[in-house]
Amino acid sequence: MTRRTILAGNWKMHKTVEESAALAASIAAALKDKPSNNSSAAHEVVVCPTYLALDRVIAELKGTSVLVGAQDMHWESQGAFTGKISGDMLRALGVTYVILGHSEQRAYFHETDETVNKKALKALAEGLKPILCVGETLEEREGGVTEKVVETQLRGAYAGISAQDALNTVVAYEPVWAIGTGRTATSQQAQEVHKFIRGLLTSFYDSETAEAVRIQYGGSMKAENAAELLAQPDVDGGLIGGAALKADTFLGIITAS
Ligand code: PGA
Protein backbone atom coordinates (compact mmCIF):
# COMPACT_ATOMS: atom_id res chain seq x y z
CA MET A 1 0.00 0.00 0.00
CA THR A 2 1.51 3.34 -1.00
CA ARG A 3 0.03 6.27 0.83
CA ARG A 4 0.33 9.69 -0.78
CA THR A 5 2.40 11.99 1.44
CA ILE A 6 0.37 14.92 2.73
CA LEU A 7 2.22 18.10 3.72
CA ALA A 8 -0.09 20.67 5.28
CA GLY A 9 0.83 24.15 6.44
CA ASN A 10 -1.09 25.31 9.50
CA TRP A 11 -0.79 29.10 9.44
CA LYS A 12 -2.60 29.44 12.80
CA MET A 13 -3.46 33.06 13.74
CA HIS A 14 -0.81 34.54 11.48
CA LYS A 15 -0.98 36.79 8.42
CA THR A 16 -3.47 39.29 7.10
CA VAL A 17 -5.53 38.45 4.03
CA GLU A 18 -2.99 40.23 1.80
CA GLU A 19 -0.04 38.45 3.42
CA SER A 20 -1.81 35.11 3.10
CA ALA A 21 -2.55 35.69 -0.58
CA ALA A 22 1.10 36.62 -1.17
CA LEU A 23 2.36 33.46 0.56
CA ALA A 24 -0.08 31.29 -1.40
CA ALA A 25 1.04 32.94 -4.64
CA SER A 26 4.73 32.25 -3.85
CA ILE A 27 3.99 28.61 -3.07
CA ALA A 28 1.94 28.24 -6.24
CA ALA A 29 4.67 29.85 -8.37
CA ALA A 30 7.40 27.66 -6.90
CA LEU A 31 5.43 24.44 -7.36
CA LYS A 32 4.26 25.30 -10.85
CA ASP A 33 6.70 23.14 -12.75
CA LYS A 34 7.39 20.66 -9.99
CA PRO A 35 5.96 17.15 -10.06
CA SER A 36 4.24 17.84 -6.73
CA ASN A 37 1.85 20.05 -8.67
CA ASN A 38 0.79 17.04 -10.68
CA SER A 39 -2.16 15.28 -9.09
CA SER A 40 -0.60 11.89 -9.75
CA ALA A 41 2.57 12.87 -7.85
CA ALA A 42 3.46 11.37 -4.52
CA HIS A 43 2.85 14.60 -2.57
CA GLU A 44 -0.32 16.35 -1.66
CA VAL A 45 0.24 19.94 -0.55
CA VAL A 46 -2.32 21.76 1.62
CA VAL A 47 -2.35 25.22 3.19
CA CYS A 48 -4.59 26.22 6.10
CA PRO A 49 -4.85 30.01 6.43
CA THR A 50 -7.14 31.95 8.76
CA TYR A 51 -10.85 31.86 7.90
CA LEU A 52 -10.65 35.43 6.61
CA ALA A 53 -8.08 34.51 3.99
CA LEU A 54 -9.64 31.24 2.77
CA ASP A 55 -11.46 32.80 -0.15
CA ARG A 56 -8.44 34.76 -1.39
CA VAL A 57 -6.06 31.86 -0.96
CA ILE A 58 -8.39 29.52 -2.84
CA ALA A 59 -8.48 32.09 -5.67
CA GLU A 60 -4.66 32.37 -5.68
CA LEU A 61 -4.27 28.59 -5.89
CA LYS A 62 -6.83 28.04 -8.62
CA GLY A 63 -5.39 25.92 -11.41
CA THR A 64 -2.74 24.39 -9.13
CA SER A 65 -3.08 21.15 -7.18
CA VAL A 66 -2.40 22.85 -3.83
CA LEU A 67 -5.47 22.33 -1.66
CA VAL A 68 -6.87 24.52 1.07
CA GLY A 69 -7.92 23.61 4.60
CA ALA A 70 -9.56 25.47 7.47
CA GLN A 71 -8.28 25.38 11.05
CA ASP A 72 -11.57 24.49 12.77
CA MET A 73 -15.36 24.55 12.26
CA HIS A 74 -18.57 24.22 14.25
CA TRP A 75 -20.66 21.05 14.09
CA GLU A 76 -23.95 22.78 13.32
CA SER A 77 -24.84 24.02 9.84
CA GLN A 78 -25.99 27.43 11.00
CA GLY A 79 -27.58 29.15 13.97
CA ALA A 80 -26.99 31.40 16.94
CA PHE A 81 -23.31 30.55 17.51
CA THR A 82 -21.61 33.91 17.62
CA GLY A 83 -18.07 33.84 16.30
CA LYS A 84 -18.31 30.39 14.73
CA ILE A 85 -17.97 29.07 11.17
CA SER A 86 -19.84 26.03 9.82
CA GLY A 87 -18.69 23.19 7.63
CA ASP A 88 -21.37 24.16 5.11
CA MET A 89 -19.74 27.59 4.79
CA LEU A 90 -16.32 26.03 4.28
CA ARG A 91 -17.58 23.61 1.65
CA ALA A 92 -19.36 26.42 -0.20
CA LEU A 93 -16.03 28.27 -0.45
CA GLY A 94 -14.20 25.31 -1.93
CA VAL A 95 -12.29 24.23 1.17
CA THR A 96 -11.09 20.59 1.09
CA TYR A 97 -9.61 19.87 4.54
CA VAL A 98 -10.38 20.96 8.08
CA ILE A 99 -8.03 20.61 11.06
CA LEU A 100 -9.94 19.35 14.11
CA GLY A 101 -8.86 18.83 17.70
CA HIS A 102 -5.60 20.74 17.46
CA SER A 103 -3.88 20.79 20.85
CA GLU A 104 -4.18 24.58 20.97
CA GLN A 105 -7.97 24.23 20.59
CA ARG A 106 -7.94 21.59 23.32
CA ALA A 107 -5.73 23.62 25.67
CA TYR A 108 -7.18 27.11 25.22
CA PHE A 109 -10.70 26.73 23.79
CA HIS A 110 -12.29 23.82 25.64
CA GLU A 111 -12.11 21.35 22.74
CA THR A 112 -12.93 17.85 23.96
CA ASP A 113 -12.90 14.43 22.33
CA GLU A 114 -16.68 14.74 22.10
CA THR A 115 -16.65 18.08 20.25
CA VAL A 116 -13.90 16.81 17.94
CA ASN A 117 -16.13 13.86 17.10
CA LYS A 118 -19.21 16.01 16.47
CA LYS A 119 -17.18 18.24 14.17
CA ALA A 120 -15.62 15.26 12.38
CA LEU A 121 -18.99 13.64 11.70
CA LYS A 122 -20.35 16.93 10.35
CA ALA A 123 -17.25 17.61 8.26
CA LEU A 124 -17.51 14.18 6.63
CA ALA A 125 -21.23 14.68 6.00
CA GLU A 126 -20.32 17.92 4.20
CA GLY A 127 -17.68 16.22 2.09
CA LEU A 128 -14.80 17.88 3.96
CA LYS A 129 -11.75 15.83 4.96
CA PRO A 130 -10.92 16.16 8.65
CA ILE A 131 -7.32 16.21 9.86
CA LEU A 132 -7.80 14.77 13.34
CA CYS A 133 -5.10 15.84 15.79
CA VAL A 134 -3.98 13.75 18.74
CA GLY A 135 -0.96 13.94 20.99
CA GLU A 136 0.31 13.85 24.54
CA THR A 137 1.76 16.61 26.72
CA LEU A 138 5.27 16.41 28.12
CA GLU A 139 3.87 15.50 31.52
CA GLU A 140 1.87 12.67 29.98
CA ARG A 141 4.87 11.35 28.05
CA GLU A 142 7.05 11.46 31.14
CA GLY A 143 4.27 9.79 33.11
CA GLY A 144 4.29 6.89 30.64
CA VAL A 145 0.70 7.42 29.47
CA THR A 146 1.33 8.49 25.85
CA GLU A 147 -0.46 5.47 24.39
CA LYS A 148 -3.38 5.79 26.78
CA VAL A 149 -3.85 9.48 25.90
CA VAL A 150 -3.54 8.92 22.16
CA GLU A 151 -5.93 5.96 22.29
CA THR A 152 -8.58 7.94 24.20
CA GLN A 153 -8.35 10.86 21.78
CA LEU A 154 -8.39 8.65 18.69
CA ARG A 155 -11.25 6.47 19.93
CA GLY A 156 -13.22 9.63 20.75
CA ALA A 157 -12.53 11.24 17.39
CA TYR A 158 -13.57 8.18 15.35
CA ALA A 159 -16.73 7.28 17.29
CA GLY A 160 -19.53 6.55 14.83
CA ILE A 161 -17.36 7.13 11.75
CA SER A 162 -17.77 4.34 9.18
CA ALA A 163 -14.83 2.60 7.54
CA GLN A 164 -15.84 4.21 4.26
CA ASP A 165 -15.71 7.70 5.82
CA ALA A 166 -12.50 6.93 7.70
CA LEU A 167 -10.79 6.75 4.31
CA ASN A 168 -11.44 10.49 4.00
CA THR A 169 -9.77 11.30 7.29
CA VAL A 170 -6.16 12.06 8.11
CA VAL A 171 -4.65 11.66 11.58
CA ALA A 172 -2.09 14.19 12.79
CA TYR A 173 0.07 12.91 15.63
CA GLU A 174 1.34 16.05 17.31
CA PRO A 175 3.17 15.59 20.60
CA VAL A 176 2.26 18.79 22.44
CA TRP A 177 5.81 19.17 23.78
CA ALA A 178 7.11 19.38 20.21
CA ILE A 179 4.72 22.06 18.94
CA GLY A 180 6.36 25.43 18.41
CA THR A 181 9.15 24.49 20.80
CA GLY A 182 11.87 23.62 18.31
CA ARG A 183 12.01 20.25 20.06
CA THR A 184 11.08 17.58 17.51
CA ALA A 185 10.19 14.01 18.35
CA THR A 186 12.91 11.68 17.13
CA SER A 187 11.98 9.66 14.09
CA GLN A 188 11.85 6.56 16.32
CA GLN A 189 9.50 8.25 18.82
CA ALA A 190 7.25 9.36 15.96
CA GLN A 191 7.27 5.96 14.26
CA GLU A 192 6.42 4.20 17.54
CA VAL A 193 3.28 6.26 18.07
CA HIS A 194 2.30 6.25 14.38
CA LYS A 195 2.50 2.46 14.35
CA PHE A 196 0.41 2.36 17.51
CA ILE A 197 -2.19 4.63 15.85
CA ARG A 198 -2.33 2.40 12.79
CA GLY A 199 -2.87 -0.57 15.07
CA LEU A 200 -5.76 1.24 16.73
CA LEU A 201 -7.31 2.03 13.35
CA THR A 202 -7.01 -1.67 12.48
CA SER A 203 -8.90 -2.51 15.67
CA PHE A 204 -11.59 0.13 14.93
CA TYR A 205 -11.98 -0.96 11.29
CA ASP A 206 -9.80 -3.47 9.44
CA SER A 207 -6.23 -3.60 8.20
CA GLU A 208 -7.11 -2.44 4.69
CA THR A 209 -8.72 0.74 6.02
CA ALA A 210 -5.91 1.32 8.53
CA GLU A 211 -3.28 0.89 5.82
CA ALA A 212 -5.02 3.50 3.67
CA VAL A 213 -5.42 6.25 6.30
CA ARG A 214 -2.57 8.73 6.32
CA ILE A 215 -0.92 9.70 9.59
CA GLN A 216 0.94 13.03 9.64
CA TYR A 217 3.56 14.02 12.17
CA GLY A 218 3.40 17.54 13.58
CA GLY A 219 5.69 19.41 15.95
CA SER A 220 8.64 21.54 14.85
CA MET A 221 8.94 19.81 11.47
CA LYS A 222 11.41 21.61 9.23
CA ALA A 223 13.51 20.90 6.14
CA GLU A 224 16.37 19.62 8.34
CA ASN A 225 14.34 16.86 10.02
CA ALA A 226 11.56 16.20 7.49
CA ALA A 227 13.34 13.61 5.37
CA GLU A 228 14.18 11.38 8.32
CA LEU A 229 10.71 11.65 9.84
CA LEU A 230 9.00 11.00 6.51
CA ALA A 231 11.22 8.01 5.84
CA GLN A 232 9.56 6.14 8.72
CA PRO A 233 7.15 3.49 7.44
CA ASP A 234 4.10 4.90 9.23
CA VAL A 235 4.82 8.62 8.87
CA ASP A 236 2.81 9.77 5.86
CA GLY A 237 3.22 13.50 5.99
CA GLY A 238 3.50 16.56 8.16
CA LEU A 239 1.32 19.18 9.77
CA ILE A 240 3.64 22.15 9.80
CA GLY A 241 3.24 25.34 11.80
CA GLY A 242 6.19 27.72 12.11
CA ALA A 243 8.07 26.45 9.07
CA ALA A 244 4.95 26.86 6.90
CA LEU A 245 4.83 30.63 7.39
CA LYS A 246 7.49 31.35 4.78
CA ALA A 247 7.50 29.99 1.25
CA ASP A 248 11.18 28.97 1.33
CA THR A 249 11.00 27.00 4.59
CA PHE A 250 7.73 25.30 3.57
CA LEU A 251 9.10 24.48 0.12
CA GLY A 252 12.26 23.19 1.78
CA ILE A 253 10.16 20.55 3.53
CA ILE A 254 8.42 19.62 0.27
CA THR A 255 11.79 19.25 -1.43
CA ALA A 256 13.22 17.26 1.49
CA SER A 257 10.32 14.84 1.34
P1 PGA B 1 4.97 23.77 14.68
O1 PGA B 1 3.37 23.59 14.76
O2 PGA B 1 5.42 23.19 13.37
O3 PGA B 1 5.19 25.25 14.75
O4 PGA B 1 5.55 23.04 15.85
C1 PGA B 1 2.76 22.43 14.32
C2 PGA B 1 1.28 22.48 14.59
O5 PGA B 1 0.87 22.99 15.64
O6 PGA B 1 0.47 22.01 13.77
Side-chain angles (χ1 to χ4, degrees):
M1 157 69 65
T2 50
R3 291 176 293 268
R4 196 160 166 236
T5 302
I6 175 168
L7 297 168
N10 174 11
W11 296 357
K12 306 192 180 185
M13 197 175 75
H14 290 287
K15 301 195 181 289
T16 62
V17 174
E18 289 306 321
E19 289 163 352
S20 301
L23 176 55
S26 318
I27 294 167
L31 293 178
K32 212 161 149 226
D33 303 314
K34 295 256 168 66
S36 54
N37 199 38
N38 174 336
S39 57
S40 63
H43 300 159
E44 187 170 13
V45 179
V46 182
V47 294
C48 305
T50 67
Y51 292 130
L52 290 176
L54 285 169
D55 199 25
R56 275 290 298 281
V57 166
I58 288 168
E60 288 295 339
L61 295 173
K62 206 164 176 204
T64 78
S65 68
V66 181
L67 297 170
V68 177
Q71 298 174 20
D72 189 27
M73 57 173 261
H74 195 271
W75 57 83
E76 293 291 347
S77 297
Q78 56 183 20
F81 300 103
T82 302
K84 296 298 170 210
I85 298 278
S86 74
D88 306 49
M89 295 169 187
L90 297 177
R91 181 187 33 76
L93 269 190
V95 168
T96 305
Y97 284 95
V98 59
I99 299 171
L100 297 177
H102 191 280
S103 64
E104 287 148 17
Q105 286 287 335
R106 294 178 190 263
Y108 310 134
F109 304 109
H110 312 290
E111 184 87 275
T112 64
D113 294 337
E114 194 191 345
T115 57
V116 172
N117 180 243
K118 284 162 91 165
K119 291 173 180 182
L121 288 165
K122 176 63 174 167
L124 289 162
E126 288 301 326
L128 297 165
K129 298 179 179 185
I131 295 176
L132 298 162
C133 305
V134 298
E136 80 288 0
T137 62
L138 185 59
E139 203 185 357
E140 289 163 342
R141 174 160 283 263
E142 287 175 347
V145 292
T146 297
E147 291 194 348
K148 186 164 168 269
V149 169
V150 168
E151 175 165 359
T152 304
Q153 291 174 343
L154 204 74
R155 210 172 270 289
Y158 279 91
I161 293 180
S162 67
Q164 178 78 16
D165 278 345
L167 296 172
N168 286 318
T169 66
V170 174
V171 177
Y173 168 58
E174 299 204 297
V176 178
W177 47 272
I179 296 178
T181 56
R183 187 176 162 188
T184 317
T186 64
S187 51
Q188 290 85 342
Q189 284 173 323
Q191 168 57 23
E192 248 171 55
V193 182
H194 282 233
K195 191 171 172 211
F196 175 70
I197 291 171
R198 204 172 306 284
L200 287 171
L201 291 170
T202 307
S203 73
F204 299 169
Y205 302 105
D206 51 75
S207 59
E208 204 185 321
T209 306
E211 285 299 318
V213 173
R214 291 170 299 172
I215 308 172
Q216 295 175 302
Y217 167 80
S220 301
M221 186 183 265
K222 43 187 183 280
E224 296 73 29
N225 57 32
E228 196 188 327
L229 285 160
L230 294 167
Q232 299 305 309
D234 290 292
V235 178
D236 309 314
L239 183 57
I240 303 136
L245 293 174
K246 282 192 190 146
D248 59 344
T249 49
F250 188 54
L251 293 162
I253 293 175
I254 297 171
T255 306
S257 73

XYZ file of all heavy atoms in Angstrom, residues 10 12 102 104 174 178-181 218-221 239-243, ligand 1:
129
model
N -0.087 24.751 8.596
C -1.087 25.308 9.505
C -0.618 26.717 9.866
O 0.316 26.874 10.652
C -1.190 24.409 10.749
C -2.092 24.983 11.816
O -2.809 25.954 11.582
N -2.057 24.381 13.004
N -2.111 28.986 11.485
C -2.600 29.442 12.795
C -3.108 30.895 12.705
O -3.652 31.281 11.685
C -1.506 29.270 13.862
C -0.975 27.828 13.879
C -0.110 27.515 15.064
C 0.357 26.061 14.979
N 1.121 25.628 16.139
N -6.989 20.300 17.252
C -5.599 20.736 17.462
C -5.361 20.958 18.958
O -6.246 21.423 19.678
C -5.324 22.025 16.674
C -3.875 22.363 16.625
N -3.239 22.988 17.677
C -2.928 22.122 15.690
C -1.962 23.126 17.365
N -1.744 22.610 16.167
N -3.926 23.208 20.511
C -4.185 24.584 20.971
C -5.682 24.802 21.198
O -6.091 25.509 22.113
C -3.601 25.594 19.961
C -2.076 25.611 20.050
C -1.354 25.909 18.753
O -1.974 26.418 17.804
O -0.140 25.612 18.682
N 0.574 14.860 16.940
C 1.339 16.051 17.314
C 1.640 16.033 18.804
O 0.808 16.462 19.612
C 0.539 17.318 16.976
C 0.220 17.465 15.509
C -0.011 18.926 15.143
O -0.953 19.532 15.667
O 0.777 19.451 14.350
N 6.296 19.100 21.391
C 7.114 19.384 20.206
C 6.556 20.535 19.380
O 7.187 20.976 18.421
C 7.209 18.125 19.340
N 5.357 21.027 19.753
C 4.715 22.064 18.940
C 5.265 23.441 19.277
O 5.160 23.902 20.406
C 3.186 22.044 19.122
C 2.622 20.717 18.604
C 2.546 23.223 18.400
C 1.128 20.567 18.785
N 5.873 24.056 18.269
C 6.363 25.426 18.411
C 7.509 25.566 19.402
O 7.852 26.661 19.813
N 8.107 24.450 19.776
C 9.154 24.492 20.798
C 10.548 24.317 20.196
O 11.544 24.499 20.881
C 8.962 23.343 21.817
O 8.950 22.102 21.079
C 7.667 23.490 22.581
N 3.342 16.094 13.413
C 3.405 17.542 13.582
C 4.140 17.897 14.852
O 3.988 17.234 15.889
N 4.930 18.958 14.780
C 5.691 19.406 15.954
C 7.105 19.744 15.526
O 7.952 18.858 15.433
N 7.317 21.051 15.242
C 8.638 21.539 14.848
C 9.240 20.792 13.658
O 10.452 20.560 13.608
C 9.598 21.525 16.044
O 9.085 22.348 17.087
N 8.389 20.407 12.690
C 8.942 19.812 11.472
C 9.563 20.925 10.642
O 9.014 22.005 10.516
C 7.874 19.086 10.654
C 8.464 18.336 9.466
S 7.222 17.525 8.427
C 7.233 15.872 9.111
N 2.159 18.005 9.510
C 1.323 19.180 9.766
C 2.307 20.206 10.317
O 2.905 19.995 11.380
C 0.199 18.857 10.756
C -0.795 19.994 11.046
C -1.455 20.509 9.771
C -1.898 19.513 12.000
N 2.499 21.266 9.568
C 3.636 22.150 9.796
C 3.167 23.541 10.198
O 2.384 24.162 9.460
C 4.485 22.220 8.497
C 4.922 20.801 8.091
C 5.695 23.136 8.689
C 4.777 20.521 6.628
N 3.620 24.015 11.326
C 3.238 25.343 11.803
C 4.271 26.382 11.408
O 4.249 26.913 10.292
N 5.213 26.655 12.318
C 6.194 27.721 12.115
C 6.875 27.706 10.755
O 6.975 28.749 10.092
N 7.314 26.534 10.326
C 8.066 26.455 9.074
C 7.169 26.608 7.840
O 7.671 26.669 6.709
C 8.838 25.136 9.010
P 4.966 23.774 14.678
O 3.367 23.592 14.758
O 5.417 23.186 13.372
O 5.189 25.251 14.747
O 5.546 23.039 15.846
C 2.758 22.425 14.319
C 1.281 22.475 14.592
O 0.872 22.989 15.635
O 0.469 22.013 13.767
